[in-house]
Amino acid sequence: MNALYDIIGVPFGYLMRLIYSLCNNYAVAIILFTVITKILLFPVNYKTQKGSARMQLLQPKLEKLKKSFANNPTRLQEEQQKLYQQEGVNPMGSCLPMFIQMFLLFGVIDVIYKPITHILNISKNVINEACAIAGTDKGNLRCELITMEHLRDNSDKYASLSEKFLSKVTEFSEKFTIFGANLGKTPTLHPESWSKEAIVLCAIPFLAGLSQLLVSVYSQIHQKKVNPASQPGGGCMAVMMYGMPLLSIWFAFQVPAGVGFYWIWSSVFSFLITFALNCYFTPERIKVINEQEKEKARIYAEKHPNKKSFMQKMLEQQAALEQQNNGGSSSGKANGVSRSEQNKQNRDKLKEARRRMAEKYGDSYDDNDDEE
């Protein structure tokens, strides 16, 4: 896991070092870092939002298919696949932004856990010596944060380190704060004393949860507005709406406050971008875009008649898996054949097998012998 953090953290470390060199404040650097990453991700968000708006236009057709093939899931999958292909819509388009957000989070965690490496750009050998002085294992992900804490009360022990380690870390520690709270510390509900720092640190996870709740509530309100006929998700929707913010709060209490601080601003900017895109994708505009995308899909299909998209392959695999799990039948039908027709075919095969056996051994066989 540490290797994964290292790989993803390197490019984010360069970006954070550049931003910090311009603003010279770590909290401000996190905010600017969030803004830049959101700008870089805007094309992905735009495509996802567009796909979601186009899916809304397909809902009436999808509902009609569900009613027409309610007793034949395999055929329903096939017809849905054809519809998605004709419309040029990817129903799994929202998976990519989620993956990228998780990818970003790993990078942010590594940058916040290792500010001496990524922000101060001090060599690994010197950092390893400093960690040894602090009495912490260099393999510990929190090694650099523990070293910074230890240095505050034992600065004389680090005076002999090269690369101006003592002066750089001391100066940086003073700017590694927000409202006097050290962003390298992990928030807790049971501090030794409720100082100003403890209050600020404790507030960060709850603000992270509230910002996530803002996004969830707005998404549900918008969904009901654009698709009033959609069926409510019931308990599942409630879990998503309140479960994700609660998970954000719990997670923010497990990591340095800088991660939670990033999460707050990430949710705030996500809300602003989503709101702006929803205003942009009006029903009139999305109809025009939908016709353009359908034409693109048609032209692409004509030029590549034998090529299957990733979405098509996924849907085909899903349909095959469901058919296998259902034993080749579901709700009395399989491949368009009813259960009674399937039973008749099986009886006919059995009769044919018995007739051949009788001919082979010179016995007589009457079809009426099989009738009950």
Side-chain angles (χ1 to χ4, degrees):
M1 183 62 73
N2 284 352
L4 178 63
Y5 282 121
D6 290 338
I7 294 172
I8 301 176
V10 170
F12 291 96
Y14 283 120
L15 179 59
M16 278 291 288
R17 189 185 311 155
L18 175 62
I19 296 172
Y20 180 80
S21 66
L22 297 175
C23 64
N24 211 29
N25 182 284
Y26 197 73
V28 175
I30 289 179
I31 297 174
L32 294 177
F33 173 84
T34 309
V35 172
I36 292 174
T37 54
K38 290 299 181 183
I39 292 174
L40 293 175
L41 285 175
F42 182 78
V44 177
N45 290 323
Y46 176 88
K47 187 175 181 180
T48 303
Q49 207 85 347
K50 181 177 69 175
S52 177
R54 294 187 64 211
M55 280 294 292
Q56 295 298 330
L57 291 179
L58 285 184
Q59 286 306 313
K61 295 181 180 180
L62 289 172
E63 290 298 325
K64 186 177 180 180
L65 288 178
K66 290 179 182 178
K67 292 179 181 179
S68 300
F69 305 102
N71 296 324
N72 193 339
T74 302
R75 181 69 183 281
L76 175 61
Q77 288 281 350
E78 294 174 354
E79 294 301 323
Q80 286 178 333
Q81 178 181 328
K82 291 179 183 178
L83 179 62
Y84 291 140
Q85 185 177 1
Q86 292 171 357
E87 299 288 336
V89 174
N90 186 354
M92 295 173 287
S94 60
C95 297
L96 179 60
M98 294 176 63
F99 173 79
I100 294 177
Q101 288 291 343
M102 185 60 65
F103 181 85
L104 278 176
L105 189 58
F106 274 107
V108 171
I109 289 175
D110 189 70
V111 170
I112 292 174
Y113 271 126
K114 301 176 181 177
I116 301 177
T117 295
H118 296 298
I119 308 299
L120 302 183
N121 197 27
I122 293 177
S123 65
K124 287 186 177 181
N125 291 335
V126 176
I127 293 174
N128 291 340
E129 291 180 35
C131 290
I133 293 173
T136 179
D137 182 9
K138 62 181 180 181
N140 186 343
L141 193 60
R142 296 174 181 259
C143 171
E144 295 185 18
L145 297 176
I146 294 173
T147 300
M148 289 174 62
E149 285 289 313
H150 186 264
L151 183 144
R152 287 191 181 94
D153 300 324
N154 305 273
S155 59
D156 56 308
K157 296 182 179 181
Y158 298 85
S160 61
L161 295 179
S162 59
E163 300 185 32
K164 299 181 180 179
F165 182 89
L166 178 59
S167 60
K168 286 184 177 180
V169 174
T170 301
E171 181 183 358
F172 176 73
S173 296
E174 296 175 355
K175 300 170 183 177
F176 195 62
T177 60
I178 177 70
F179 300 124
N182 185 350
L183 290 174
K185 290 185 176 180
T186 302
T188 177
L189 290 171
H190 305 286
E192 295 181 0
S193 63
W194 283 103
S195 60
K196 177 184 176 182
E197 181 182 52
I199 294 173
V200 172
L201 291 177
C202 189
I204 287 177
F206 290 105
L207 289 174
L210 285 174
S211 60
Q212 179 65 47
L213 181 63
L214 173 67
V215 176
S216 299
V217 171
Y218 170 73
S219 297
Q220 188 178 60
I221 292 175
H222 178 73
Q223 179 69 20
K224 289 182 178 179
K225 180 180 178 181
V226 298
N227 190 16
S230 63
Q231 295 293 326
C236 182
M237 288 299 296
V239 169
M240 289 297 294
M241 178 179 291
Y242 301 109
M244 290 303 294
L246 289 175
L247 181 63
S248 299
I249 294 174
W250 175 83
F251 185 79
F253 272 112
Q254 312 302 315
V255 294
V259 178
F261 187 71
Y262 161 78
W263 213 327
I264 293 171
W265 289 102
S266 178
S267 296
V268 170
F269 289 126
S270 292
F271 167 77
L272 294 176
I273 291 172
T274 302
F275 178 80
L277 288 175
N278 284 337
C279 293
Y280 174 78
F281 287 120
T282 60
E284 294 76 18
R285 180 174 282 117
I286 199 61
K287 286 181 181 178
V288 174
I289 293 175
N290 191 55
E291 292 302 319
Q292 294 173 348
E293 294 296 326
K294 284 175 64 176
E295 183 64 15
K296 289 181 182 179
R298 184 188 66 80
I299 295 174
Y300 182 85
E302 290 179 354
K303 292 183 177 180
H304 308 84
N306 298 322
K307 188 174 181 180
K308 295 182 179 180
S309 65
F310 176 75
M311 176 194 68
Q312 289 177 273
K313 294 177 182 179
M314 288 292 292
L315 289 173
E316 289 179 357
Q317 290 178 1
Q318 182 180 355
L321 182 60
E322 288 187 1
Q323 185 175 0
Q324 181 180 357
N325 291 338
N326 292 331
S329 64
S330 61
S331 301
K333 290 190 176 183
N335 299 324
V337 180
S338 67
R339 188 183 297 276
S340 60
E341 292 173 340
Q342 184 68 40
N343 290 338
K344 184 177 182 303
Q345 291 177 4
N346 292 337
R347 287 196 300 270
D348 290 342
K349 290 179 181 179
L350 181 60
K351 288 180 181 180
E352 180 64 20
R354 288 179 176 176
R355 185 184 65 76
R356 290 180 179 179
M357 288 292 292
E359 291 178 353
K360 180 177 181 180
Y361 294 102
D363 296 332
S364 61
Y365 173 73
D366 188 351
D367 288 348
N368 295 326
D369 291 342
D370 290 319
E371 300 295 335
E372 297 295 335

